[in-house]
Protein backbone atom coordinates (compact mmCIF):
# COMPACT_ATOMS: atom_id res chain seq x y z
CA UNK A 1 0.00 0.00 0.00
CA UNK A 2 2.99 2.26 0.64
CA UNK A 3 5.49 2.83 -2.17
CA UNK A 4 8.98 1.59 -1.24
CA UNK A 5 11.62 4.27 -0.79
CA UNK A 6 13.79 2.88 -3.60
CA UNK A 7 10.94 3.11 -6.03
CA UNK A 8 10.27 6.73 -5.09
CA UNK A 9 13.95 7.56 -5.51
CA UNK A 10 13.97 6.21 -9.04
CA UNK A 11 11.15 8.48 -10.22
CA UNK A 12 12.21 11.09 -12.79
CA UNK A 13 10.94 14.05 -10.71
CA UNK A 14 12.88 12.88 -7.67
CA UNK A 15 16.03 12.31 -9.72
CA UNK A 16 15.73 15.89 -10.95
CA UNK A 17 15.27 17.07 -7.39
CA UNK A 18 18.48 15.33 -6.31
CA UNK A 19 20.41 17.26 -8.95
CA UNK A 20 19.51 20.52 -7.22
CA UNK A 21 19.17 19.57 -3.54
CA UNK A 22 21.28 17.35 -1.29
CA UNK A 23 20.36 13.66 -1.61
CA UNK A 24 20.28 13.30 2.17
CA UNK A 25 17.54 15.90 2.50
CA UNK A 26 15.47 14.31 -0.27
CA UNK A 27 15.86 10.87 1.28
CA UNK A 28 14.95 12.10 4.73
CA UNK A 29 11.90 13.81 3.35
CA UNK A 30 10.65 10.66 1.56
CA UNK A 31 11.20 8.57 4.69
CA UNK A 32 9.31 11.06 6.80
CA UNK A 33 6.34 11.04 4.45
CA UNK A 34 6.21 7.26 4.31
CA UNK A 35 6.63 6.84 8.06
CA UNK A 36 3.92 9.37 8.73
CA UNK A 37 1.57 7.41 6.51
CA UNK A 38 2.60 4.08 7.98
CA UNK A 39 1.52 5.47 11.32
CA UNK A 40 -1.79 6.48 9.76
CA UNK A 41 -2.32 2.93 8.46
CA UNK A 42 -1.68 1.45 11.88
CA UNK A 43 -4.44 3.64 13.24
CA UNK A 44 -6.98 2.47 10.66
CA UNK A 45 -9.81 0.62 12.37
CA UNK A 46 -12.53 0.00 9.83
CA UNK A 47 -12.55 -1.37 6.32
CA UNK A 48 -14.21 1.82 5.15
CA UNK A 49 -11.29 3.90 6.43
CA UNK A 50 -8.92 1.48 4.77
CA UNK A 51 -10.61 1.93 1.41
CA UNK A 52 -10.37 5.69 1.63
CA UNK A 53 -6.69 5.53 2.41
CA UNK A 54 -4.35 5.59 -0.51
CA UNK A 55 -0.91 7.09 -0.83
CA UNK A 56 -0.25 7.38 -4.53
CA UNK A 57 3.20 7.84 -6.01
CA UNK A 58 2.12 11.26 -7.33
CA UNK A 59 1.21 12.34 -3.82
CA UNK A 60 4.57 11.22 -2.41
CA UNK A 61 6.43 13.07 -5.18
CA UNK A 62 4.40 16.23 -4.74
CA UNK A 63 4.87 16.26 -0.97
CA UNK A 64 8.57 15.48 -1.24
CA UNK A 65 9.20 18.37 -3.62
CA UNK A 66 7.36 20.77 -1.30
CA UNK A 67 9.09 19.53 1.86
CA UNK A 68 12.57 19.59 0.33
CA UNK A 69 12.11 23.18 -0.89
CA UNK A 70 10.84 24.28 2.55
CA UNK A 71 13.62 22.43 4.32
CA UNK A 72 16.36 23.93 2.17
CA UNK A 73 15.07 27.52 2.07
CA UNK A 74 16.96 30.11 4.09
CA UNK A 75 15.25 31.51 7.13
CA UNK A 76 16.07 35.05 5.99
CA UNK A 77 13.85 35.57 2.96
CA UNK A 78 13.16 38.36 0.51
CA UNK A 79 9.78 39.98 1.11
CA UNK A 80 7.80 42.59 -0.80
CA UNK A 81 7.27 45.67 1.32
CA UNK A 82 3.83 47.04 0.43
CA UNK A 83 3.43 48.91 3.71
CA UNK A 84 4.78 52.21 2.38
CA UNK A 85 7.05 52.50 5.43
CA UNK A 86 10.42 53.21 3.86
CA UNK A 87 12.81 52.57 6.76
CA UNK A 88 10.96 49.52 8.07
CA UNK A 89 12.98 48.17 10.99
CA UNK A 90 11.20 44.78 10.91
CA UNK A 91 11.82 44.40 7.18
CA UNK A 92 15.52 45.25 7.13
CA UNK A 93 15.58 49.06 7.37
CA UNK A 94 17.53 50.70 4.56
CA UNK A 95 18.26 48.95 1.28
CA UNK A 96 21.65 49.06 -0.36
CA UNK A 97 21.81 50.58 -3.81
CA UNK A 98 22.11 48.19 -6.71
CA UNK A 99 24.73 50.56 -8.13
CA UNK A 100 27.29 49.30 -5.60
CA UNK A 101 26.70 45.56 -5.84
CA UNK A 102 30.02 44.94 -7.62
CA UNK A 103 31.99 46.70 -4.91
CA UNK A 104 30.23 44.67 -2.18
CA UNK A 105 30.71 41.37 -3.98
CA UNK A 106 34.42 42.09 -4.49
CA UNK A 107 34.88 42.97 -0.82
CA UNK A 108 33.06 39.79 0.15
CA UNK A 109 34.76 37.36 -2.20
CA UNK A 110 38.33 38.66 -2.48
CA UNK A 111 41.11 39.63 -0.08
CA UNK A 112 41.34 43.33 0.65
CA UNK A 113 43.49 45.88 2.47
CA UNK A 114 40.97 45.78 5.35
CA UNK A 115 43.69 46.08 7.99
CA UNK A 116 46.73 46.51 5.79
CA UNK A 117 48.62 49.68 4.89
CA UNK A 118 49.48 49.33 1.21
CA UNK A 119 51.93 52.24 1.27
CA UNK A 120 53.99 50.96 4.21
CA UNK A 121 53.47 47.28 3.53
CA UNK A 122 52.47 46.63 7.09
CA UNK A 123 49.50 46.19 9.37
CA UNK A 124 46.93 48.98 9.11
CA UNK A 125 43.56 49.86 10.64
CA UNK A 126 40.10 48.98 9.41
CA UNK A 127 38.85 52.33 10.62
CA UNK A 128 40.80 54.43 8.11
CA UNK A 129 38.63 53.45 5.15
CA UNK A 130 35.60 55.52 6.13
CA UNK A 131 37.38 58.39 7.83
CA UNK A 132 38.20 60.65 4.89
CA UNK A 133 34.79 60.33 3.28
CA UNK A 134 32.88 61.04 6.50
CA UNK A 135 35.18 63.92 7.45
CA UNK A 136 34.63 65.44 4.04
CA UNK A 137 30.84 65.11 4.26
CA UNK A 138 30.41 66.27 7.85
CA UNK A 139 33.28 68.67 8.43
CA UNK A 140 34.20 66.75 11.60
CA UNK A 141 37.76 66.42 12.91
CA UNK A 142 37.64 62.65 13.31
CA UNK A 143 35.44 59.61 12.86
CA UNK A 144 34.85 56.18 14.39
CA UNK A 145 32.39 53.62 13.04
CA UNK A 146 31.00 50.78 15.18
CA UNK A 147 28.35 48.07 14.95
CA UNK A 148 25.24 50.24 15.35
CA UNK A 149 24.14 53.51 16.90
CA UNK A 150 23.23 51.93 20.25
CA UNK A 151 26.84 50.72 20.43
CA UNK A 152 28.05 54.18 19.42
CA UNK A 153 26.15 55.84 22.29
CA UNK A 154 27.40 53.23 24.75
CA UNK A 155 31.02 53.65 23.65
CA UNK A 156 30.79 57.44 23.75
CA UNK A 157 29.39 57.46 27.29
CA UNK A 158 31.71 54.73 28.51
CA UNK A 159 34.67 56.77 27.25
CA UNK A 160 33.54 60.24 28.25
CA UNK A 161 31.29 59.83 31.29
CA UNK A 162 32.09 56.54 33.04
CA UNK A 163 32.07 56.95 36.80
CA UNK A 164 30.53 60.39 36.46
CA UNK A 165 27.26 62.00 35.47
CA UNK A 166 25.66 62.71 32.12
CA UNK A 167 22.92 65.34 32.07
CA UNK A 168 19.98 64.69 29.72
CA UNK A 169 16.60 66.34 29.25
CA UNK A 170 13.75 64.20 30.61
CA UNK A 171 11.66 64.83 27.51
CA UNK A 172 14.35 63.26 25.37
CA UNK A 173 14.64 60.07 27.41
CA UNK A 174 12.30 58.03 25.41
CA UNK A 175 12.15 54.64 23.91
CA UNK A 176 13.55 54.63 20.42
CA UNK A 177 12.09 51.84 18.32
CA UNK A 178 11.40 49.29 21.04
CA UNK A 179 14.83 48.06 21.96
CA UNK A 180 16.94 51.16 22.43
CA UNK A 181 16.40 52.80 25.79
CA UNK A 182 18.82 55.57 26.61
CA UNK A 183 18.64 54.95 30.40
CA UNK A 184 19.60 51.27 29.97
CA UNK A 185 22.42 52.10 27.58
CA UNK A 186 23.70 54.67 30.05
CA UNK A 187 23.65 52.17 32.86
CA UNK A 188 25.68 49.71 30.78
CA UNK A 189 28.20 52.41 29.97
CA UNK A 190 28.84 53.08 33.64
CA UNK A 191 27.66 56.68 33.52
CA UNK A 192 25.08 58.02 35.94
CA UNK A 193 22.12 59.58 34.31
CA UNK A 194 20.84 62.90 35.58
CA UNK A 195 17.46 63.81 34.15
CA UNK A 196 16.49 67.45 34.06
CA UNK A 197 13.34 69.39 33.23
CA UNK A 198 9.76 68.22 32.84
CA UNK A 199 8.56 65.88 30.12
CA UNK A 200 7.41 68.71 27.94
CA UNK A 201 9.71 71.51 28.95
CA UNK A 202 13.38 71.85 29.68
CA UNK A 203 15.12 75.19 30.18
CA UNK A 204 18.80 75.94 29.96
CA UNK A 205 18.81 76.75 33.68
CA UNK A 206 17.60 73.19 34.39
CA UNK A 207 20.82 71.90 32.88
CA UNK A 208 22.91 74.55 34.60
CA UNK A 209 21.41 73.83 38.03
CA UNK A 210 22.19 70.13 37.64
CA UNK A 211 25.89 70.65 36.95
CA UNK A 212 28.08 69.40 39.81
CA UNK A 213 31.66 68.25 40.35
CA UNK A 214 30.55 64.84 39.07
CA UNK A 215 29.23 66.09 35.74
CA UNK A 216 31.19 64.75 32.80
CA UNK A 217 29.02 65.52 29.77
CA UNK A 218 25.89 67.34 28.60
CA UNK A 219 23.82 65.24 26.25
CA UNK A 220 21.11 65.89 23.70
CA UNK A 221 19.06 63.08 22.15
CA UNK A 222 17.21 63.75 18.96
CA UNK A 223 13.76 62.30 19.70
CA UNK A 224 12.80 61.78 16.13
CA UNK A 225 10.35 58.96 16.77
CA UNK A 226 8.45 60.66 19.53
CA UNK A 227 7.65 64.30 19.48
CA UNK A 228 5.88 65.64 22.51
CA UNK A 229 3.13 67.57 20.83
CA UNK A 230 1.89 70.96 21.84
CA UNK A 231 3.45 73.20 24.44
CA UNK A 232 7.01 72.04 24.39
CA UNK A 233 10.39 73.56 24.78
CA UNK A 234 13.75 71.99 24.33
CA UNK A 235 17.24 73.36 24.25
CA UNK A 236 19.06 73.65 20.95
CA UNK A 237 22.47 72.10 20.58
CA UNK A 238 23.91 75.60 20.09
CA UNK A 239 22.68 76.75 23.51
CA UNK A 240 23.96 73.57 25.11
CA UNK A 241 27.37 74.13 23.53
CA UNK A 242 27.50 77.64 25.02
CA UNK A 243 26.69 76.25 28.45
CA UNK A 244 29.26 73.48 27.99
CA UNK A 245 31.96 76.03 27.13
CA UNK A 246 31.13 78.04 30.26
CA UNK A 247 31.58 74.98 32.50
CA UNK A 248 34.26 73.26 30.45
CA UNK A 249 32.01 70.28 29.65
CA UNK A 250 31.74 68.45 26.31
CA UNK A 251 28.40 68.21 24.53
CA UNK A 252 27.21 64.97 22.94
CA UNK A 253 24.36 64.84 20.46
CA UNK A 254 22.71 61.54 19.55
CA UNK A 255 21.05 62.34 16.24
CA UNK A 256 19.64 58.84 15.73
CA UNK A 257 19.01 59.20 12.04
CA UNK A 258 21.96 60.52 10.09
CA UNK A 259 20.59 63.02 7.62
CA UNK A 260 23.18 64.40 5.19
CA UNK A 261 20.90 66.37 2.90
CA UNK A 262 18.50 69.17 3.83
CA UNK A 263 15.27 67.33 3.06
CA UNK A 264 13.07 70.41 3.41
CA UNK A 265 14.08 71.11 -0.19
CA UNK A 266 12.12 68.01 -1.13
CA UNK A 267 8.96 68.90 0.78
CA UNK A 268 9.73 67.09 4.03
CA UNK A 269 10.03 68.57 7.54
CA UNK A 270 13.41 70.05 8.27
CA UNK A 271 15.57 67.57 10.19
CA UNK A 272 18.93 68.71 11.53
CA UNK A 273 21.76 67.37 9.38
CA UNK A 274 24.99 65.94 10.75
CA UNK A 275 26.81 68.90 9.24
CA UNK A 276 24.56 71.32 11.22
CA UNK A 277 25.32 69.59 14.53
CA UNK A 278 29.05 69.66 13.87
CA UNK A 279 28.88 73.32 12.79
CA UNK A 280 26.96 74.28 15.91
CA UNK A 281 29.83 72.95 17.97
CA UNK A 282 28.68 69.59 19.32
CA UNK A 283 31.83 67.82 20.49
CA UNK A 284 30.52 64.38 19.56
CA UNK A 285 27.64 63.43 17.27
CA UNK A 286 26.31 59.88 16.80
CA UNK A 287 23.92 58.44 14.21
CA UNK A 288 22.87 55.21 12.45
CA UNK A 289 24.21 54.02 9.11
CA UNK A 290 20.95 52.39 8.02
CA UNK A 291 18.29 54.98 8.75
CA UNK A 292 18.10 58.17 6.68
CA UNK A 293 21.68 57.76 5.54
CA UNK A 294 20.49 54.76 3.54
CA UNK A 295 23.55 52.55 4.00
CA UNK A 296 24.35 49.46 6.06
CA UNK A 297 23.81 48.86 9.79
CA UNK A 298 26.44 50.85 11.67
CA UNK A 299 26.88 53.48 14.34
CA UNK A 300 28.85 56.50 13.19
CA UNK A 301 30.61 58.70 15.70
CA UNK A 302 32.00 62.03 14.51
CA UNK A 303 33.58 64.89 16.42
CA UNK A 304 36.65 66.20 18.22
CA UNK A 305 39.84 64.26 17.73
CA UNK A 306 40.76 64.08 21.43
CA UNK A 307 37.54 62.25 22.31
CA UNK A 308 37.58 59.94 19.28
CA UNK A 309 41.21 58.99 20.03
CA UNK A 310 40.20 58.04 23.57
CA UNK A 311 37.34 55.93 22.17
CA UNK A 312 39.72 54.07 19.86
CA UNK A 313 41.74 53.08 22.94
CA UNK A 314 38.65 51.90 24.84
CA UNK A 315 38.69 48.07 24.95
CA UNK A 316 34.96 48.10 24.31
CA UNK A 317 35.65 49.20 20.71
CA UNK A 318 37.07 45.77 19.91
CA UNK A 319 33.76 44.17 20.83
CA UNK A 320 31.77 46.64 18.77
CA UNK A 321 33.87 46.53 15.66
CA UNK A 322 32.38 46.94 12.24
CA UNK A 323 32.50 44.25 9.55
CA UNK A 324 34.24 44.61 6.16
CA UNK A 325 30.99 44.26 4.19
CA UNK A 326 29.57 47.13 6.20
CA UNK A 327 32.67 49.25 5.62
CA UNK A 328 32.40 48.63 1.90
CA UNK A 329 28.65 49.29 1.69
CA UNK A 330 28.96 52.45 3.78
CA UNK A 331 31.92 53.88 1.89
CA UNK A 332 30.30 53.23 -1.49
CA UNK A 333 26.96 54.69 -0.31
CA UNK A 334 28.61 57.77 1.19
CA UNK A 335 30.53 58.36 -2.03
CA UNK A 336 27.19 58.93 -3.75
CA UNK A 337 26.60 61.90 -1.45
CA UNK A 338 29.44 63.78 -3.13
CA UNK A 339 26.79 64.61 -5.74
CA UNK A 340 23.42 65.30 -4.10
CA UNK A 341 21.43 64.46 -7.23
CA UNK A 342 23.19 61.12 -7.50
CA UNK A 343 22.40 60.38 -3.84
CA UNK A 344 18.70 61.18 -4.22
CA UNK A 345 18.38 59.11 -7.39
CA UNK A 346 20.42 56.09 -6.41
CA UNK A 347 20.15 55.56 -2.66
CA UNK A 348 16.88 53.60 -2.33
CA UNK A 349 15.86 55.16 1.00
CA UNK A 350 16.25 58.71 -0.32
CA UNK A 351 14.69 57.85 -3.64
CA UNK A 352 11.57 56.39 -2.01
CA UNK A 353 11.23 59.23 0.49
CA UNK A 354 11.46 61.91 -2.18
CA UNK A 355 9.35 60.09 -4.79
CA UNK A 356 7.12 62.57 -6.63
CA UNK A 357 3.33 62.33 -6.78
CA UNK A 358 3.50 61.90 -10.57
CA UNK A 359 5.80 58.94 -10.11
CA UNK A 360 3.54 57.42 -7.43
CA UNK A 361 0.48 57.90 -9.66
CA UNK A 362 2.25 56.33 -12.59
CA UNK A 363 3.25 53.32 -10.47
CA UNK A 364 -0.27 52.97 -9.04
CA UNK A 365 -1.88 53.12 -12.50
CA UNK A 366 0.49 50.55 -13.85
CA UNK A 367 -0.12 48.07 -11.01
CA UNK A 368 -3.87 48.74 -11.05
CA UNK A 369 -4.09 47.97 -14.77
CA UNK A 370 -2.45 44.58 -14.28
CA UNK A 371 -4.57 43.65 -11.26
CA UNK A 372 -7.75 44.76 -13.01
CA UNK A 373 -7.06 42.29 -15.83
CA UNK A 374 -7.34 39.39 -13.36
CA UNK A 375 -11.07 39.98 -12.86
CA UNK A 376 -10.78 39.12 -9.19
CA UNK A 377 -13.86 38.64 -7.05
CA UNK A 378 -13.09 41.92 -5.30
CA UNK A 379 -13.58 45.64 -5.39
CA UNK A 380 -10.38 47.33 -6.48
CA UNK A 381 -9.55 51.03 -6.43
CA UNK A 382 -6.61 53.37 -6.51
CA UNK A 383 -6.70 55.32 -3.26
CA UNK A 384 -4.81 58.12 -1.54
CA UNK A 385 -2.85 56.92 1.46
CA UNK A 386 -0.07 58.04 3.77
CA UNK A 387 3.32 56.38 3.87
CA UNK A 388 5.77 56.76 6.72
CA UNK A 389 9.49 57.40 6.78
CA UNK A 390 9.78 54.96 9.73
CA UNK A 391 12.72 53.47 11.56
CA UNK A 392 12.56 55.92 14.40
CA UNK A 393 13.26 58.60 11.84
CA UNK A 394 10.76 61.38 11.40
CA UNK A 395 7.95 59.40 13.03
CA UNK A 396 5.31 61.99 12.62
CA UNK A 397 6.51 62.50 9.13
CA UNK A 398 3.98 61.00 6.76
CA UNK A 399 4.05 61.42 3.01
CA UNK A 400 1.07 61.48 0.67
CA UNK A 401 1.10 58.35 -1.42
CA UNK A 402 -0.99 56.09 -3.67
CA UNK A 403 -2.26 52.61 -2.96
CA UNK A 404 -4.23 49.83 -4.59
CA UNK A 405 -7.09 49.03 -2.18
CA UNK A 406 -8.62 45.57 -2.53
CA UNK A 407 -11.85 44.51 -0.82
CA UNK A 408 -12.49 40.80 -1.41
CA UNK A 409 -16.15 39.95 -1.93
CA UNK A 410 -16.16 36.35 -0.74
CA UNK A 411 -13.16 36.14 1.50
CA UNK A 412 -12.23 37.70 4.78
CA UNK A 413 -9.66 40.45 4.18
CA UNK A 414 -7.42 39.13 6.96
CA UNK A 415 -7.43 35.74 5.23
CA UNK A 416 -6.25 37.43 2.05
CA UNK A 417 -3.53 39.25 3.99
CA UNK A 418 -2.34 35.96 5.51
CA UNK A 419 -2.34 34.12 2.19
CA UNK A 420 -0.20 36.79 0.54
CA UNK A 421 2.14 37.08 3.52
CA UNK A 422 2.76 33.32 3.42
CA UNK A 423 2.93 33.13 -0.38
CA UNK A 424 6.25 32.52 -2.14
CA UNK A 425 6.68 36.28 -2.62
CA UNK A 426 5.86 37.11 1.02
CA UNK A 427 3.88 40.31 0.46
CA UNK A 428 3.70 42.44 3.61
CA UNK A 429 0.84 44.96 3.48
CA UNK A 430 -1.58 46.76 5.74
CA UNK A 431 -5.27 46.04 6.27
CA UNK A 432 -7.34 49.10 6.92
CA UNK A 433 -11.09 49.51 7.02
CA UNK A 434 -11.63 45.98 5.60
CA UNK A 435 -9.40 46.87 2.69
CA UNK A 436 -6.12 45.28 1.71
CA UNK A 437 -3.79 48.22 1.02
CA UNK A 438 -0.80 47.99 -1.32
CA UNK A 439 1.16 51.25 -1.00
CA UNK A 440 3.14 51.51 -4.24
CA UNK A 441 5.89 53.71 -2.77
CA UNK A 442 7.91 50.79 -1.37
CA UNK A 443 7.05 48.18 -4.02
CA UNK A 444 9.68 47.95 -6.75
CA UNK A 445 8.31 47.92 -10.27
CA UNK A 446 10.04 44.64 -11.01
CA UNK A 447 7.99 43.15 -8.15
CA UNK A 448 4.62 44.07 -9.71
CA UNK A 449 4.50 40.80 -11.64
CA UNK A 450 4.94 38.79 -8.43
CA UNK A 451 2.21 40.80 -6.70
CA UNK A 452 -0.17 40.14 -9.60
CA UNK A 453 0.69 36.41 -9.76
CA UNK A 454 0.23 35.93 -6.03
CA UNK A 455 -3.09 37.80 -6.04
CA UNK A 456 -4.32 35.54 -8.81
CA UNK A 457 -3.37 32.44 -6.80
CA UNK A 458 -4.87 33.82 -3.61
CA UNK A 459 -8.29 34.22 -5.22
CA UNK A 460 -8.67 30.72 -6.73
C1 LIG B 1 17.57 54.61 16.17
C2 LIG B 1 18.18 55.38 17.25
C3 LIG B 1 19.18 54.80 18.05
C4 LIG B 1 19.62 53.38 17.86
O1 LIG B 1 20.30 53.22 16.66
P1 LIG B 1 20.62 51.73 16.09
O2 LIG B 1 21.46 51.99 14.87
O3 LIG B 1 19.31 51.11 15.80
O4 LIG B 1 21.37 51.02 17.14
C5 LIG B 1 19.74 55.58 19.04
N1 LIG B 1 19.34 56.85 19.25
C6 LIG B 1 18.37 57.43 18.51
C7 LIG B 1 17.97 58.84 18.81
C8 LIG B 1 17.76 56.72 17.48
O5 LIG B 1 16.80 57.29 16.74
Amino acid sequence: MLPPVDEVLSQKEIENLIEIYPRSIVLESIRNIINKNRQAIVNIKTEEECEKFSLTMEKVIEETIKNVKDEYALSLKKVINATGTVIHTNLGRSLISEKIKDEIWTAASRYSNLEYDLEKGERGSRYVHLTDMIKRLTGAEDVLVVNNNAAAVMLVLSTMAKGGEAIVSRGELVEVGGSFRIPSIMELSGADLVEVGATNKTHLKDYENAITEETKVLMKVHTSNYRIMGFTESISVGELVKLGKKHNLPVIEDLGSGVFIDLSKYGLDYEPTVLDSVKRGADIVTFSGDKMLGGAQAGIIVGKKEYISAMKKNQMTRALRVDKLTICALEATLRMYLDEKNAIENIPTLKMITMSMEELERKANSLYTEIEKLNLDAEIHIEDCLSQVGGGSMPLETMKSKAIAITPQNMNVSRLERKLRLSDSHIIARVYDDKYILDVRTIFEDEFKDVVDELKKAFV
Side-chain angles (χ1 to χ4, degrees):
M1 233 185 328
L2 290 168
V5 174
D6 283 348
E7 208 177 299
V8 181
L9 276 172
S10 65
Q11 302 296 308
K12 189 86 205 105
E13 293 93 331
I14 299 296
E15 281 180 354
N16 291 343
L17 202 62
I18 292 174
E19 278 180 23
I20 308 170
Y21 300 98
R23 189 188 153 86
S24 60
I25 294 201
V26 177
L27 193 59
E28 184 187 288
S29 184
I30 296 169
R31 286 204 176 115
N32 284 346
I33 293 164
I34 291 179
N35 283 341
K36 196 176 75 191
N37 282 282
R38 182 169 295 133
Q39 199 56 47
I41 290 172
V42 170
N43 292 338
I44 288 177
K45 296 213 171 58
T46 65
E47 236 168 81
E48 200 185 331
E49 277 176 351
C50 188
E51 264 165 38
K52 265 199 277 174
F53 185 89
S54 87
L55 183 66
T56 60
M57 183 60 88
E58 286 80 64
K59 218 168 140 198
V60 177
I61 292 171
E62 186 191 325
E63 237 181 275
T64 304
I65 292 174
K66 190 187 169 303
N67 287 3
V68 167
K69 281 185 180 170
D70 285 353
E71 197 68 27
Y72 204 64
L74 293 182
S75 167
L76 185 68
K77 297 172 178 43
K78 171 189 164 347
V79 306
I80 293 178
N81 177 6
T83 65
T85 300
V86 178
I87 306 172
H88 200 305
T89 297
N90 301 145
L91 305 183
R93 279 209 188 152
S94 277
L95 310 179
I96 301 294
S97 172
E98 202 168 327
K99 288 260 148 96
I100 62 174
K101 64 176 183 221
D102 290 347
E103 284 88 340
I104 293 173
W105 176 237
T106 304
S109 63
R110 297 298 162 118
Y111 293 112
S112 62
N113 63 338
L114 180 65
E115 287 188 0
Y116 188 77
D117 187 326
L118 288 172
E119 190 60 44
K120 293 186 184 143
E122 59 189 42
R123 192 202 158 125
S125 158
R126 70 175 57 217
Y127 297 106
V128 301
H129 304 292
L130 292 161
T131 309
D132 288 345
M133 187 69 77
I134 297 175
K135 270 158 78 170
R136 184 164 170 175
L137 292 169
T138 63
E141 276 179 22
D142 206 356
V143 179
L144 181 60
V145 181
V146 291
N147 179 63
N148 61 5
N149 191 32
V153 173
M154 189 158 78
L155 177 63
V156 166
L157 289 169
S158 157
T159 308
M160 298 172 69
K162 194 173 178 172
E165 293 174 352
I167 303 181
V168 191
S169 160
R170 186 162 283 127
E172 295 172 359
L173 286 179
V174 290
E175 208 164 316
V176 181
S179 60
F180 182 79
R181 290 185 61 250
I182 292 271
S184 317
I185 294 289
M186 287 210 162
E187 205 179 306
L188 287 170
S189 74
D192 272 334
L193 174 70
V194 177
E195 299 174 42
V196 298
T199 322
N200 64 339
K201 256 184 163 190
T202 304
H203 301 286
L204 200 59
K205 69 169 187 332
D206 295 327
Y207 281 91
E208 187 147 33
N209 291 341
I211 295 174
T212 67
E213 293 280 285
E214 304 301 318
T215 308
K216 294 269 181 86
V217 296
L218 304 178
M219 183 165 181
K220 182 165 175 63
V221 182
H222 191 67
T223 57
S224 43
N225 75 333
Y226 173 99
R227 230 160 280 168
I228 300 160
M229 304 296 282
F231 193 52
T232 69
E233 209 164 304
S234 71
I235 302 302
S236 75
V237 71
E239 288 172 280
L240 217 51
V241 166
K242 244 190 260 168
L243 183 67
K245 287 234 165 76
K246 187 170 151 196
H247 295 270
N248 205 16
L249 289 169
V251 171
I252 298 165
E253 182 167 31
D254 174 21
L255 273 182
S257 202
V259 185
F260 278 61
I261 291 174
D262 175 4
L263 289 166
S264 61
K265 278 191 266 181
Y266 301 90
L268 287 126
D269 272 359
Y270 173 76
E271 278 279 300
T273 64
V274 180
L275 196 71
D276 287 338
S277 295
V278 173
K279 252 194 221 154
R280 293 193 177 126
D283 296 277
I284 288 293
V285 182
T286 63
F287 52 95
S288 286
D290 59 349
K291 288 185 183 170
M292 288 296 280
L293 193 156
Q297 178 190 302
I300 303 176
I301 308 168
V302 301
K304 302 271 160 66
K305 205 174 185 75
E306 57 170 304
Y307 301 116
I308 303 263
S309 298
M311 288 172 211
K312 285 180 183 164
K313 290 192 195 103
N314 190 327
Q315 278 304 307
M316 203 182 253
T317 303
R318 180 61 183 80
L320 308 176
R321 87 172 184 193
V322 63
D323 166 66
K324 67 181 174 194
L325 291 185
T326 304
I327 292 176
C328 176
L330 267 185
E331 192 180 14
T333 302
L334 287 164
R335 188 173 60 186
M336 292 188 196
Y337 278 96
L338 297 175
D339 172 5
E340 184 172 314
K341 193 164 157 278
N342 184 17
I344 294 279
E345 276 169 19
N346 290 310
I347 297 174
T349 299
L350 296 182
K351 184 178 169 151
M352 285 190 258
I353 284 170
T354 59
M355 199 171 276
S356 71
M357 191 39 83
E358 295 89 80
E359 174 73 354
L360 291 161
E361 274 166 3
R362 194 189 57 70
K363 279 177 87 176
N365 284 329
S366 152
L367 182 56
Y368 176 80
T369 308
E370 293 308 311
I371 295 176
E372 184 70 346
K373 283 186 201 155
L374 298 174
N375 276 318
L376 301 177
D377 186 13
E379 253 186 65
I380 305 164
H381 301 283
I382 297 181
E383 283 192 3
D384 291 335
C385 68
L386 291 173
S387 354
Q388 287 184 327
V389 173
S393 327
M394 308 186 170
L396 304 179
E397 186 76 78
T398 49
M399 302 160 286
K400 286 204 179 99
S401 188
K402 290 282 170 188
I404 315 299
I406 302 172
T407 315
Q409 298 301 288
N410 282 304
M411 181 179 6
N412 194 310
V413 68
S414 53
R415 188 170 143 76
L416 176 66
E417 187 276 332
R418 184 181 154 81
K419 274 188 175 188
L420 292 166
R421 173 159 41 88
L422 296 177
S423 71
D424 287 342
S425 301
H426 299 294
I427 302 166
I428 313 296
R430 286 176 294 157
V431 169
Y432 176 75
D433 224 3
D434 276 341
K435 286 180 278 197
Y436 182 73
I437 309 277
L438 296 160
D439 186 332
V440 296
R441 182 186 297 272
T442 47
I443 312 176
F444 288 86
E445 271 178 274
D446 62 10
E447 293 172 333
F448 283 2
K449 188 181 174 306
D450 291 336
V451 173
V452 172
D453 288 350
E454 298 296 3
L455 271 169
K456 188 174 169 186
K457 282 191 234 161
F459 273 90
V460 290

